[in-house]
Amino acid sequence: MGLNHGKQGTGVSVEAKVKTGAITTLNVTLTGDGKLKMISSEGQSTKGPIMRIGNTQTPVKFRDHPDTYMSRWCAEAPTHHCAMSIGHNASLFQKVAELMDVKHVTL
């Protein structure tokens, strides 16, 4: 078995992608004062190849141009891992953040 990004083998735990259609990404990060913050982005999972690097990945298109999106996303101080859900769920994540008294940003 090959070694991919520190993981051996193949399959869903090593290389996978989400079905095409509406998706929402969710990052959980920290604010400057040490409090949790959630960052949501709604977009579309698209067809396309995935790199064979051993990470789960999905080609995604957001409303903004990639340069603009990445600038806005990086300005929110995200961690480099995120969760992805099927469907547009930013409003649901906003409600969860309100219940948890956590800041939430939708890009």
XYZ file of all heavy atoms in Angstrom:
803
model
N 0.833 -1.196 0.000
C 0.000 0.000 0.000
C 0.870 1.250 0.000
O 1.865 1.323 0.706
C -0.865 0.030 1.249
C -1.981 -0.932 1.263
S -3.044 -0.401 2.616
C -4.342 -1.496 2.505
N 0.459 2.226 -0.754
C 1.193 3.482 -0.810
C 0.932 4.345 0.413
O -0.009 4.110 1.181
N 1.762 5.341 0.599
C 1.606 6.277 1.704
C 1.169 7.615 1.130
O 1.859 8.187 0.294
C 2.933 6.421 2.462
C 2.889 7.203 3.756
C 2.034 6.476 4.784
C 4.304 7.374 4.311
N -0.009 8.091 1.528
C -0.570 9.343 1.034
C -0.784 10.304 2.187
O -1.635 10.071 3.040
C -1.920 9.094 0.339
C -1.780 8.295 -0.928
O -1.012 8.676 -1.796
N -2.494 7.194 -1.029
N -0.020 11.375 2.219
C -0.200 12.420 3.224
C -0.249 11.826 4.632
O -1.090 12.168 5.448
C -1.470 13.218 2.913
C -1.558 14.548 3.601
N -0.725 15.590 3.292
C -2.373 14.999 4.567
C -1.028 16.623 4.052
N -2.030 16.292 4.838
N 0.651 10.866 4.884
C 0.704 10.259 6.200
C -0.293 9.143 6.422
O -0.359 8.560 7.488
N -1.117 8.837 5.414
C -2.133 7.795 5.543
C -1.827 6.692 4.539
O -1.467 6.980 3.408
C -3.521 8.370 5.281
C -3.887 9.524 6.178
C -5.205 10.113 5.696
C -5.390 11.497 6.219
N -4.856 12.536 5.349
N -1.985 5.460 4.933
C -1.749 4.348 4.023
C -3.039 3.906 3.358
O -4.102 3.956 3.964
C -1.140 3.176 4.776
C 0.282 3.432 5.212
C 0.933 2.195 5.779
O 0.276 1.212 6.056
N 2.240 2.256 5.953
N -2.919 3.465 2.115
C -4.047 2.837 1.445
C -4.803 3.777 0.535
O -4.318 4.815 0.120
N -6.032 3.380 0.233
C -6.907 4.159 -0.632
C -8.311 4.083 -0.078
O -8.572 3.373 0.890
C -6.916 3.585 -2.070
O -7.391 2.241 -2.017
C -5.544 3.632 -2.716
N -9.217 4.807 -0.685
C -10.615 4.719 -0.279
C -11.096 5.982 0.396
O -10.424 7.006 0.423
N -12.273 5.899 0.992
C -12.954 7.078 1.506
C -12.154 7.801 2.588
O -12.215 9.012 2.712
C -14.382 6.732 1.988
C -14.350 5.932 3.273
C -15.212 7.995 2.161
N -11.390 7.082 3.385
C -10.647 7.756 4.451
C -9.404 8.441 3.922
O -8.785 9.238 4.623
C -10.260 6.754 5.544
O -9.352 5.805 5.030
N -9.026 8.154 2.696
C -7.811 8.731 2.141
C -8.134 9.725 1.026
O -7.638 10.834 1.009
C -6.868 7.621 1.624
C -5.633 8.216 0.980
C -6.480 6.694 2.773
N -8.954 9.322 0.078
C -9.311 10.202 -1.032
C -10.804 10.087 -1.293
O -11.308 9.001 -1.542
C -8.537 9.835 -2.294
C -7.061 10.106 -2.154
C -6.255 9.512 -3.293
O -6.807 8.710 -4.064
O -5.078 9.856 -3.390
N -11.509 11.194 -1.212
C -12.952 11.190 -1.427
C -13.383 12.568 -1.874
O -12.645 13.539 -1.728
C -13.689 10.804 -0.144
N -14.578 12.670 -2.414
C -15.158 13.969 -2.732
C -16.656 13.901 -2.510
O -17.257 12.828 -2.546
C -14.795 14.435 -4.134
C -15.344 13.611 -5.265
C -14.752 14.039 -6.578
C -15.743 14.794 -7.405
N -15.231 15.155 -8.713
N -17.244 15.058 -2.270
C -18.674 15.181 -2.006
C -19.415 15.220 -3.341
O -18.894 15.730 -4.339
C -18.941 16.469 -1.195
C -20.416 16.735 -1.024
C -18.242 16.391 0.159
N -20.639 14.695 -3.368
C -21.418 14.747 -4.605
C -21.608 16.187 -5.051
O -21.527 17.128 -4.236
C -22.764 14.046 -4.410
C -23.739 14.772 -3.506
C -25.033 13.987 -3.410
C -26.068 14.730 -2.594
N -27.354 14.053 -2.614
N -21.857 16.394 -6.334
C -22.020 17.742 -6.869
C -23.328 18.359 -6.385
O -24.304 17.660 -6.118
C -21.977 17.738 -8.406
O -23.005 16.882 -8.895
C -20.633 17.257 -8.921
N -23.319 19.680 -6.282
C -24.501 20.426 -5.854
C -24.174 21.393 -4.733
O -23.018 21.690 -4.446
N -25.215 21.888 -4.095
C -25.070 22.886 -3.042
C -24.301 22.313 -1.844
O -24.558 21.188 -1.421
C -26.446 23.364 -2.588
N -23.351 23.107 -1.328
C -22.577 22.716 -0.142
C -22.389 23.937 0.758
O -22.573 25.079 0.336
C -21.191 22.122 -0.486
C -20.321 23.110 -1.295
C -21.330 20.819 -1.228
C -19.435 23.955 -0.438
N -22.030 23.677 2.003
C -21.627 24.739 2.932
C -20.374 24.263 3.642
O -20.327 23.124 4.126
C -22.730 25.021 3.975
O -23.943 25.329 3.286
C -22.347 26.195 4.877
N -19.365 25.127 3.679
C -18.173 24.813 4.470
C -18.313 25.494 5.824
O -18.966 26.525 5.961
C -16.880 25.290 3.797
O -16.920 26.713 3.630
C -16.674 24.610 2.451
N -17.672 24.909 6.830
C -17.701 25.466 8.176
C -16.319 25.324 8.803
O -15.794 24.223 8.897
C -18.734 24.749 9.042
C -18.782 25.191 10.510
C -19.276 26.638 10.623
C -19.667 24.255 11.318
N -15.749 26.445 9.181
C -14.500 26.478 9.947
C -14.837 26.875 11.370
O -15.740 27.685 11.595
C -13.533 27.537 9.417
C -12.896 27.164 8.118
O -13.484 27.380 7.076
N -11.709 26.600 8.192
N -14.112 26.342 12.320
C -14.188 26.806 13.702
C -12.793 27.302 14.052
O -11.808 26.584 13.884
C -14.634 25.694 14.675
C -14.653 26.206 16.102
C -16.014 25.172 14.282
N -12.707 28.550 14.487
C -11.426 29.169 14.795
C -11.547 29.926 16.105
O -12.562 29.828 16.795
C -10.986 30.085 13.630
O -9.643 30.514 13.834
C -11.906 31.275 13.456
N -10.511 30.662 16.450
C -10.513 31.470 17.673
C -10.396 32.940 17.330
O -9.680 33.311 16.393
C -9.339 31.089 18.580
C -9.372 29.721 19.228
C -8.076 29.465 19.982
C -10.549 29.599 20.174
N -11.045 33.778 18.102
C -10.892 35.219 17.971
C -9.613 35.634 18.712
O -9.006 34.829 19.427
C -12.099 35.964 18.571
O -12.162 35.670 19.969
C -13.395 35.559 17.886
N -9.228 36.877 18.562
C -8.037 37.387 19.240
C -8.111 37.287 20.745
O -7.078 37.175 21.424
N -9.333 37.306 21.294
C -9.481 37.203 22.749
C -9.752 35.768 23.210
O -10.165 35.536 24.344
C -10.555 38.160 23.268
C -11.922 37.936 22.633
O -12.052 37.063 21.761
O -12.862 38.651 23.023
N -9.522 34.791 22.315
C -9.606 33.391 22.706
C -10.986 32.766 22.680
O -11.167 31.655 23.180
N -11.969 33.452 22.076
C -13.317 32.885 21.996
C -13.502 32.172 20.654
O -12.856 32.504 19.668
C -14.361 33.985 22.157
C -14.308 34.615 23.529
C -15.403 35.626 23.709
C -15.319 36.180 25.133
N -16.322 37.185 25.374
N -14.418 31.196 20.639
C -14.703 30.480 19.401
C -15.399 31.380 18.389
O -16.168 32.278 18.752
C -15.576 29.262 19.678
C -14.918 28.101 20.402
C -15.950 27.010 20.685
C -13.756 27.536 19.620
N -15.126 31.111 17.116
C -15.799 31.804 16.019
C -16.033 30.784 14.912
O -15.176 29.940 14.635
C -14.941 32.949 15.497
C -15.553 33.671 14.303
C -14.799 34.926 13.946
C -13.738 34.674 12.934
N -13.143 35.928 12.411
N -17.209 30.860 14.288
C -17.560 29.982 13.173
C -17.560 30.789 11.880
O -18.020 31.932 11.854
C -18.947 29.367 13.413
C -19.012 28.508 14.667
S -20.702 28.128 15.209
C -21.205 26.960 13.958
N -17.036 30.172 10.814
C -16.984 30.811 9.493
C -17.685 29.884 8.506
O -17.247 28.754 8.302
C -15.537 31.038 9.028
C -14.729 31.792 10.083
C -15.512 31.773 7.689
C -13.222 31.740 9.842
N -18.767 30.356 7.901
C -19.520 29.558 6.930
C -19.384 30.148 5.535
O -19.305 31.369 5.381
C -21.013 29.536 7.272
O -21.240 28.877 8.488
N -19.381 29.281 4.547
C -19.378 29.702 3.142
C -20.276 28.763 2.362
O -20.105 27.544 2.436
C -17.976 29.635 2.548
O -17.073 30.451 3.233
N -21.210 29.323 1.626
C -22.079 28.509 0.779
C -21.554 28.535 -0.653
O -21.114 29.567 -1.143
C -23.510 29.016 0.825
C -24.137 28.832 2.199
C -25.562 29.309 2.294
O -25.981 30.162 1.488
O -26.270 28.811 3.187
N -21.580 27.395 -1.303
C -21.094 27.298 -2.672
C -21.677 26.094 -3.370
O -22.684 25.528 -2.936
N -21.001 25.704 -4.443
C -21.429 24.557 -5.241
C -20.260 23.599 -5.423
O -19.182 24.012 -5.854
C -21.903 25.013 -6.633
C -23.136 25.891 -6.634
C -24.372 25.124 -6.227
O -24.574 23.976 -6.625
N -25.227 25.749 -5.434
N -20.480 22.340 -5.074
C -19.511 21.298 -5.384
C -19.625 21.027 -6.881
O -20.729 20.882 -7.406
C -19.833 20.039 -4.581
O -19.057 18.956 -5.023
N -18.492 20.986 -7.559
C -18.495 20.812 -9.009
C -17.777 19.528 -9.398
O -17.046 18.946 -8.606
C -17.807 22.003 -9.704
O -16.439 22.055 -9.275
C -18.508 23.314 -9.366
N -17.978 19.103 -10.629
C -17.247 17.945 -11.136
C -15.817 18.376 -11.416
O -15.551 19.513 -11.771
C -17.894 17.417 -12.406
C -19.234 16.778 -12.161
C -19.774 16.148 -13.409
C -21.106 15.498 -13.071
N -21.610 14.659 -14.119
N -14.917 17.461 -11.263
C -13.526 17.742 -11.569
C -12.630 16.720 -10.909
O -13.046 15.996 -10.006
N -11.397 16.663 -11.364
C -10.464 15.687 -10.804
C -10.061 16.064 -9.383
O -10.137 17.235 -9.002
C -9.260 15.760 -11.745
C -9.310 17.144 -12.308
C -10.773 17.489 -12.399
N -9.667 15.065 -8.605
C -9.095 15.329 -7.292
C -7.624 14.937 -7.338
O -7.239 14.007 -8.037
C -9.829 14.593 -6.142
C -9.770 13.077 -6.319
C -11.262 15.077 -6.014
C -10.240 12.309 -5.094
N -6.815 15.689 -6.640
C -5.398 15.383 -6.581
C -5.197 14.144 -5.722
O -5.877 13.964 -4.716
C -4.632 16.568 -5.985
C -4.710 17.817 -6.825
S -3.860 19.211 -6.060
C -5.025 19.623 -4.760
N -4.266 13.312 -6.081
C -3.999 12.080 -5.345
C -2.952 12.375 -4.277
O -1.815 11.916 -4.364
C -3.568 10.980 -6.294
C -4.681 10.637 -7.300
C -4.386 9.417 -8.119
N -4.087 8.241 -7.322
C -4.987 7.414 -6.794
N -6.269 7.643 -6.957
N -4.616 6.361 -6.102
N -3.354 13.174 -3.264
C -2.436 13.554 -2.194
C -2.857 12.980 -0.848
O -2.215 13.225 0.157
C -2.299 15.086 -2.081
C -3.653 15.727 -1.785
C -1.669 15.655 -3.342
C -3.594 17.206 -1.476
N -3.946 12.217 -0.819
C -4.351 11.565 0.418
C -5.265 12.381 1.299
O -5.514 12.016 2.428
N -5.776 13.498 0.816
C -6.729 14.299 1.586
C -8.095 14.217 0.929
O -8.198 14.140 -0.289
C -6.316 15.768 1.637
C -5.275 16.049 2.669
O -5.085 15.271 3.593
N -4.580 17.154 2.512
N -9.138 14.268 1.743
C -10.479 14.384 1.202
C -10.584 15.763 0.566
O -10.205 16.758 1.169
C -11.512 14.237 2.328
O -11.313 12.975 2.948
C -12.918 14.342 1.796
N -11.073 15.833 -0.644
C -11.162 17.114 -1.340
C -12.305 17.099 -2.336
O -12.689 16.042 -2.833
C -9.846 17.445 -2.027
C -9.317 16.314 -2.868
C -7.948 16.588 -3.390
O -7.729 17.623 -4.007
N -7.029 15.693 -3.153
N -12.834 18.265 -2.593
C -13.929 18.433 -3.535
C -13.738 19.760 -4.256
O -13.531 20.781 -3.599
C -15.284 18.463 -2.780
O -15.465 17.204 -2.143
C -16.441 18.720 -3.706
N -13.804 19.783 -5.586
C -13.765 21.070 -6.279
C -15.025 21.864 -5.923
O -16.134 21.333 -6.013
C -13.754 20.700 -7.759
C -13.491 19.229 -7.826
C -13.879 18.651 -6.507
N -14.848 23.108 -5.496
C -15.971 23.942 -5.059
C -15.887 25.304 -5.731
O -14.808 25.878 -5.879
C -15.959 24.116 -3.520
C -17.024 25.106 -3.089
C -16.164 22.787 -2.833
N -17.041 25.820 -6.113
C -17.125 27.171 -6.678
C -17.976 28.013 -5.741
O -19.106 27.639 -5.408
C -17.754 27.133 -8.065
C -17.794 28.477 -8.728
C -18.253 28.379 -10.155
C -18.187 29.763 -10.779
N -18.350 29.709 -12.213
N -17.407 29.138 -5.295
C -18.139 30.078 -4.451
C -18.619 31.252 -5.300
O -18.179 31.431 -6.435
C -17.264 30.571 -3.302
C -16.894 29.475 -2.330
C -15.611 28.953 -2.293
C -17.842 28.952 -1.466
C -15.273 27.941 -1.412
C -17.525 27.935 -0.576
C -16.231 27.433 -0.555
N -19.482 32.070 -4.752
C -20.062 33.213 -5.464
C -18.971 34.182 -5.920
O -18.988 34.682 -7.037
C -21.082 33.911 -4.553
C -21.696 35.171 -5.113
C -22.660 35.837 -4.134
N -22.018 36.086 -2.855
C -22.469 35.659 -1.672
N -23.588 34.990 -1.602
N -21.821 35.923 -0.567
N -17.996 34.463 -5.034
C -16.925 35.414 -5.349
C -15.850 34.779 -6.226
O -15.664 33.561 -6.215
C -16.251 35.902 -4.062
C -17.150 36.782 -3.207
O -18.092 37.390 -3.754
O -16.905 36.854 -1.994
N -15.118 35.610 -6.940
C -13.931 35.170 -7.663
C -12.972 34.534 -6.649
O -12.919 34.975 -5.493
C -13.271 36.385 -8.331
C -12.090 36.034 -9.160
N -10.835 35.863 -8.620
C -11.982 35.805 -10.488
C -9.983 35.553 -9.585
N -10.659 35.504 -10.729
N -12.235 33.501 -7.020
C -11.356 32.834 -6.051
C -10.408 33.771 -5.295
O -10.209 33.606 -4.090
C -10.578 31.827 -6.910
C -11.504 31.516 -8.036
C -12.224 32.806 -8.320
N -9.817 34.767 -5.976
C -8.926 35.707 -5.282
C -9.676 36.489 -4.214
O -9.192 36.670 -3.097
C -8.287 36.701 -6.264
C -7.301 36.034 -7.211
O -6.831 34.918 -6.912
O -6.999 36.644 -8.259
N -10.865 36.964 -4.551
C -11.677 37.734 -3.605
C -12.115 36.861 -2.451
O -12.023 37.246 -1.277
C -12.911 38.313 -4.326
O -12.470 39.126 -5.413
C -13.777 39.133 -3.375
N -12.588 35.646 -2.769
C -13.036 34.735 -1.716
C -11.897 34.423 -0.746
O -12.068 34.489 0.468
C -13.610 33.437 -2.306
C -13.935 32.461 -1.207
C -15.098 32.598 -0.466
C -13.036 31.449 -0.851
C -15.380 31.740 0.579
C -13.312 30.590 0.202
C -14.480 30.745 0.911
O -14.749 29.911 1.959
N -10.744 34.051 -1.276
C -9.625 33.683 -0.412
C -9.175 34.858 0.452
O -8.812 34.673 1.620
C -8.455 33.135 -1.236
C -8.748 31.778 -1.854
S -9.228 30.497 -0.667
C -7.729 30.297 0.272
N -9.194 36.060 -0.078
C -8.840 37.246 0.726
C -9.834 37.442 1.862
O -9.438 37.702 3.004
C -8.800 38.498 -0.155
O -7.726 38.416 -1.061
N -11.120 37.316 1.562
C -12.148 37.465 2.601
C -12.043 36.356 3.643
O -12.158 36.602 4.839
C -13.550 37.458 1.974
C -13.837 38.688 1.128
C -15.230 38.658 0.526
N -16.230 38.668 1.585
C -17.432 38.100 1.492
N -17.796 37.473 0.390
N -18.281 38.149 2.487
N -11.824 35.118 3.179
C -11.726 33.968 4.078
C -10.516 34.101 4.983
O -10.618 33.941 6.200
C -11.673 32.691 3.238
C -11.664 31.415 3.994
C -12.697 30.891 4.731
C -10.596 30.469 4.085
N -12.323 29.668 5.265
C -11.043 29.394 4.878
C -9.311 30.425 3.547
C -10.235 28.292 5.151
C -8.523 29.330 3.812
C -8.977 28.282 4.618
N -9.370 34.425 4.414
C -8.143 34.569 5.220
C -8.250 35.707 6.225
O -7.669 35.639 7.315
C -6.939 34.763 4.309
S -6.473 33.253 3.432
N -8.993 36.747 5.892
C -9.176 37.877 6.816
C -9.916 37.456 8.087
O -9.829 38.133 9.116
C -9.922 39.010 6.119
N -10.649 36.341 8.031
C -11.391 35.848 9.199
C -10.547 34.925 10.082
O -11.031 34.406 11.075
C -12.665 35.131 8.757
C -13.649 36.022 8.031
C -14.158 37.166 8.899
O -14.180 37.040 10.142
O -14.552 38.195 8.315
N -9.279 34.705 9.726
C -8.336 33.877 10.498
C -8.817 32.433 10.661
O -8.931 31.922 11.772
C -8.033 34.514 11.852
N -9.091 31.739 9.537
C -9.564 30.367 9.631
C -8.432 29.411 10.000
O -7.262 29.731 9.833
C -10.043 30.068 8.211
C -9.107 30.886 7.362
C -8.898 32.165 8.157
N -8.812 28.249 10.497
C -7.863 27.151 10.591
C -7.804 26.513 9.207
O -8.641 26.799 8.357
C -8.335 26.112 11.625
O -9.621 25.628 11.219
C -8.433 26.724 13.013
N -6.844 25.646 8.944
C -6.750 25.124 7.581
C -7.611 23.889 7.347
O -7.673 23.395 6.234
C -5.293 24.895 7.167
C -4.704 23.583 7.564
N -3.922 23.442 8.666
C -4.774 22.364 7.006
C -3.519 22.194 8.763
N -4.022 21.508 7.775
N -8.317 23.416 8.345
C -9.271 22.331 8.148
C -10.683 22.894 8.242
O -10.936 23.842 8.977
C -9.106 21.241 9.217
C -7.892 20.404 9.011
N -7.853 19.372 8.107
C -6.666 20.450 9.583
C -6.666 18.816 8.130
N -5.918 19.451 9.022
N -11.592 22.303 7.477
C -12.988 22.720 7.570
C -13.873 21.493 7.384
O -13.431 20.452 6.910
C -13.326 23.790 6.534
S -13.349 23.221 4.832
N -15.110 21.653 7.768
C -16.127 20.632 7.529
C -16.953 21.076 6.332
O -17.064 22.273 6.058
C -17.012 20.472 8.761
N -17.527 20.123 5.628
C -18.380 20.454 4.495
C -19.687 19.694 4.641
O -19.685 18.488 4.907
C -17.686 20.068 3.185
C -18.472 20.456 1.950
S -17.651 19.971 0.407
C -16.207 20.999 0.446
N -20.789 20.411 4.498
C -22.097 19.766 4.551
C -22.781 19.901 3.203
O -22.506 20.821 2.432
C -22.967 20.400 5.648
O -23.257 21.748 5.341
N -23.660 18.967 2.914
C -24.443 19.009 1.685
C -25.621 19.938 1.910
O -26.296 19.873 2.930
C -24.908 17.597 1.296
C -23.683 16.726 0.977
C -25.865 17.632 0.113
C -24.003 15.273 0.769
N -25.850 20.847 0.966
C -26.924 21.830 1.066
C -26.391 23.176 1.529
O -25.242 23.299 1.950
N -27.209 24.194 1.426
C -26.851 25.529 1.916
C -27.348 25.641 3.353
O -28.555 25.709 3.588
C -27.440 26.615 1.017
C -26.714 26.724 -0.282
N -27.255 27.323 -1.392
C -25.469 26.323 -0.655
C -26.384 27.276 -2.387
N -25.301 26.666 -1.947
N -26.407 25.635 4.301
C -26.736 25.535 5.719
C -26.205 26.675 6.575
O -26.203 26.566 7.801
C -26.202 24.204 6.267
C -26.811 23.023 5.545
O -28.020 22.887 5.501
N -25.984 22.191 4.957
N -25.747 27.765 5.967
C -25.173 28.859 6.755
C -26.175 29.416 7.762
O -25.799 29.741 8.896
C -24.648 29.970 5.850
N -27.441 29.513 7.401
C -28.432 30.044 8.346
C -28.607 29.108 9.537
O -28.797 29.560 10.669
C -29.775 30.309 7.664
O -30.330 29.108 7.167
N -28.512 27.806 9.313
C -28.573 26.836 10.410
C -27.356 27.000 11.328
O -27.485 27.024 12.546
C -28.625 25.414 9.849
C -28.564 24.282 10.869
C -29.768 24.316 11.795
C -28.465 22.950 10.154
N -26.168 27.139 10.733
C -24.959 27.340 11.536
C -25.027 28.657 12.312
O -24.546 28.744 13.435
C -23.712 27.283 10.668
C -23.487 25.942 10.016
C -22.891 25.859 8.771
C -23.873 24.764 10.629
C -22.663 24.626 8.164
C -23.664 23.524 10.033
C -23.056 23.461 8.798
N -25.642 29.687 11.715
C -25.832 30.960 12.404
C -26.693 30.761 13.651
O -26.384 31.277 14.723
C -26.484 31.985 11.473
C -26.876 33.296 12.136
C -25.681 34.096 12.593
O -24.699 34.217 11.883
N -25.757 34.654 13.806
N -27.771 29.989 13.529
C -28.654 29.725 14.674
C -27.919 28.951 15.770
O -28.075 29.244 16.953
C -29.896 28.944 14.219
C -30.827 29.772 13.355
C -31.947 28.929 12.782
C -32.758 29.752 11.797
N -33.743 28.948 11.082
N -27.108 27.966 15.371
C -26.315 27.215 16.349
C -25.348 28.148 17.065
O -25.207 28.095 18.292
C -25.559 26.052 15.668
C -24.552 25.420 16.614
C -26.541 25.014 15.149
N -24.706 29.029 16.321
C -23.772 29.986 16.920
C -24.491 30.888 17.925
O -23.962 31.161 19.010
C -23.106 30.821 15.831
N -25.682 31.353 17.586
C -26.440 32.194 18.500
C -26.773 31.442 19.784
O -26.644 31.983 20.884
C -27.724 32.692 17.828
C -27.464 33.728 16.747
C -28.715 34.067 15.945
O -29.834 33.662 16.341
O -28.564 34.729 14.900
N -27.194 30.189 19.656
C -27.508 29.388 20.845
C -26.277 29.159 21.718
O -26.382 29.068 22.936
C -28.105 28.039 20.426
C -29.507 28.085 19.837
C -29.885 26.717 19.257
C -30.521 28.509 20.889
N -25.107 29.066 21.069
C -23.868 28.819 21.806
C -23.172 30.113 22.237
O -22.133 30.066 22.860
C -22.911 28.002 20.923
C -23.402 26.615 20.617
S -22.323 25.714 19.458
C -20.777 25.711 20.344
N -23.741 31.257 21.855
C -23.139 32.553 22.121
C -21.729 32.643 21.542
O -20.762 33.025 22.195
C -23.116 32.867 23.631
C -22.825 34.327 23.917
O -23.121 35.179 23.047
O -22.278 34.613 24.998
N -21.642 32.249 20.253
C -20.388 32.225 19.514
C -20.546 33.143 18.299
O -21.595 33.142 17.649
C -20.059 30.787 19.049
C -18.896 30.756 18.091
C -19.807 29.887 20.241
N -19.492 33.887 17.964
C -19.525 34.730 16.767
C -19.593 33.842 15.534
O -18.977 32.780 15.475
C -18.271 35.605 16.701
C -18.255 36.520 15.507
C -17.064 37.454 15.518
C -17.136 38.333 14.266
N -16.103 39.333 14.244
N -20.368 34.288 14.529
C -20.504 33.557 13.271
C -20.403 34.540 12.123
O -21.012 35.609 12.153
C -21.854 32.828 13.224
C -22.070 32.099 11.942
N -22.737 32.664 10.872
C -21.707 30.858 11.539
C -22.788 31.794 9.895
N -22.167 30.698 10.273
N -19.638 34.174 11.104
C -19.481 35.001 9.893
C -19.855 34.143 8.707
O -19.408 33.000 8.594
C -18.015 35.482 9.748
C -17.829 36.224 8.439
C -17.598 36.318 10.926
N -20.669 34.677 7.809
C -20.971 34.007 6.547
C -20.317 34.794 5.428
O -20.524 36.001 5.306
C -22.493 33.922 6.301
O -23.103 33.212 7.358
C -22.788 33.206 4.979
N -19.521 34.110 4.629
C -18.852 34.763 3.491
C -19.683 34.606 2.241
O -20.450 33.690 2.103
C -17.469 34.141 3.275
C -16.517 34.250 4.445
C -15.200 33.575 4.124
C -16.266 35.707 4.810
